[in-house]
Amino acid sequence: MKIPRYNNAILRYNFLMNTKIIYEDESIIVCHKPAGFPVQTKKLGQPDVETELKNYLKGKTPGGGAPYLGIVHRLDQPVEGLMVVAKTAKVAAALSAAVDHNENKKNEKNSAGEMIKIYHARIFGEPKKEAGYLEHFLKKEERTNLSIVVSTRCDERVGLAGANENPAGKKTKNTAKKAKLYYAVTGPGEVLVRLYTGRHHQIRVQFAAEGTPLLGDTKYGTEASVARSRELGMRNVALKAVYLAFSHPKSGKPLEFFLPGEEPFREKIEQLIRETETG
């Protein structure tokens, strides 16, 4: 897909914002979120992706009222990468359905089709296989803002290394949800990941559960992985959303975007998509 040249407004605001706009039309904005920058925050005075983009849209149409901006998917604050946001509620609904495509087959006729999201991660250790699917049931712990792996939707907890961590025999609430991804090793300690579900901290939790936590991850990493991350000077989780593809919610035209600087992964990303066409 040929992406239009930046206009002066985009160039001016990209210089001023942490969030960088990669593509924009009357329906959507595709942007590059930096690592360590929140998508949304409740902290007074702290900038975030949502506020920056709303201010950008407001600046384009002064006196036009508060602009609409629909956040249809998120990236963890430590994670860098591509996001798409909607400019109207109707477009937001179509994009949300595309995000949920793999979980809700009613969305197969959605105008935005399926949204393909691929990440590049650096991990501590090596996976058991060169490529494969990972499936777990995850439950978010609201008190700690962490997710845990559980053995079933409402059974006892399983620790990140696979050990039973519920000695009291208590059962978790029936809130665990299935998490699915496909990964392919691209080099020593490096993987490309295709997400099929969008769970809280999903990639980080699932790789930690397999004994290969992400580098830079102090929440789910082991003592050894955290120490190695410090040696490497990592300040954020080594995870980037490098590829995003979907059909335009209005025109139906296929769109694909690569994170700037990650184009060398194009061939491997295309191979991973072929391998998972029936996944």
Side-chain angles (χ1 to χ4, degrees):
M1 183 205 72
K2 185 176 181 181
I3 298 177
R5 293 179 180 272
Y6 292 134
N7 59 38
N8 289 335
I10 292 178
L11 288 173
R12 182 171 66 253
Y13 276 89
N14 268 354
F15 178 76
L16 297 173
M17 298 190 304
N18 293 286
T19 309
K20 305 304 179 186
I21 297 173
I22 292 176
Y23 172 81
E24 180 185 10
D25 61 28
E26 73 282 356
S27 301
I28 62 172
I29 294 176
V30 176
C31 63
H32 174 187
K33 184 192 89 67
F37 194 67
V39 174
Q40 294 172 308
T41 181
K42 295 180 180 178
K43 294 182 180 179
L44 188 64
Q46 181 178 349
D48 56 27
V49 172
E50 182 180 39
T51 301
E52 287 194 333
L53 292 180
K54 281 186 174 181
N55 288 340
Y56 160 72
L57 293 174
K58 177 68 174 177
K60 291 175 63 178
T61 56
Y68 178 90
L69 189 79
I71 303 293
V72 297
H73 67 115
R74 293 168 175 77
L75 296 175
D76 296 343
Q77 183 167 330
V79 177
E80 175 186 359
L82 295 172
M83 290 181 58
V84 58
V85 299
K87 288 185 172 183
T88 70
K90 185 175 181 180
V91 169
L95 290 174
S96 295
V99 171
D100 295 336
H101 176 89
N102 289 290
E103 299 180 67
N104 185 357
K105 294 306 180 182
K106 293 180 181 179
N107 294 330
E108 289 180 348
K109 294 183 180 180
N110 170 50
S111 60
E114 174 187 5
M115 187 176 292
I116 299 176
K117 298 182 290 184
I118 295 179
Y119 295 72
H120 174 237
R122 294 179 63 188
I123 59 176
F124 182 73
E126 298 295 334
K128 299 173 184 177
K129 299 179 181 179
E130 288 292 306
Y133 291 95
L134 296 182
E135 296 187 15
H136 299 88
F137 284 103
L138 306 185
K139 177 181 179 293
K140 182 180 178 181
E141 297 276 89
E142 299 294 340
R143 182 179 59 84
T144 60
N145 195 36
L146 295 174
S147 287
I148 59 170
V149 175
V150 297
S151 58
T152 69
R153 285 187 184 273
C154 58
D155 207 345
E156 68 271 16
R157 302 178 183 186
V158 177
L160 292 179
N164 187 334
E165 291 186 353
N166 190 13
K170 295 181 180 179
K171 291 188 177 183
T172 62
K173 293 181 181 179
N174 190 24
T175 56
K177 296 180 179 179
K178 184 177 180 180
K180 179 180 179 181
L181 62 78
Y182 180 88
Y183 74 88
V185 174
T186 59
E190 294 193 17
V191 293
L192 283 176
V193 180
R194 177 173 179 177
L195 272 186
Y196 285 92
T197 52
R199 307 305 180 208
H200 179 253
H201 294 170
Q202 180 178 333
I203 294 174
R204 299 161 65 183
V205 178
Q206 289 196 267
F207 275 94
E210 294 295 309
T212 52
L214 271 61
L215 289 171
D217 195 343
T218 57
K219 284 192 172 184
Y220 299 101
T222 61
E223 184 176 336
S225 70
V226 171
R228 179 56 178 159
S229 300
R230 288 175 181 157
E231 290 174 3
L232 295 172
M234 291 184 168
R235 301 178 63 182
N236 286 295
V237 178
L239 183 62
K240 295 181 180 180
V242 296
Y243 178 83
L244 192 62
F246 53 93
S247 297
H248 193 280
K250 280 195 172 181
S251 69
K253 292 182 179 179
L255 302 177
E256 66 173 5
F257 302 91
F258 290 85
L259 187 68
E262 300 294 325
E263 291 85 354
F265 283 102
R266 179 185 294 267
E267 185 176 337
K268 291 181 179 180
I269 287 172
E270 291 174 346
Q271 179 181 345
L272 184 145
I273 292 172
R274 289 194 298 270
E275 290 173 353
T276 57
E277 281 180 346
T278 59

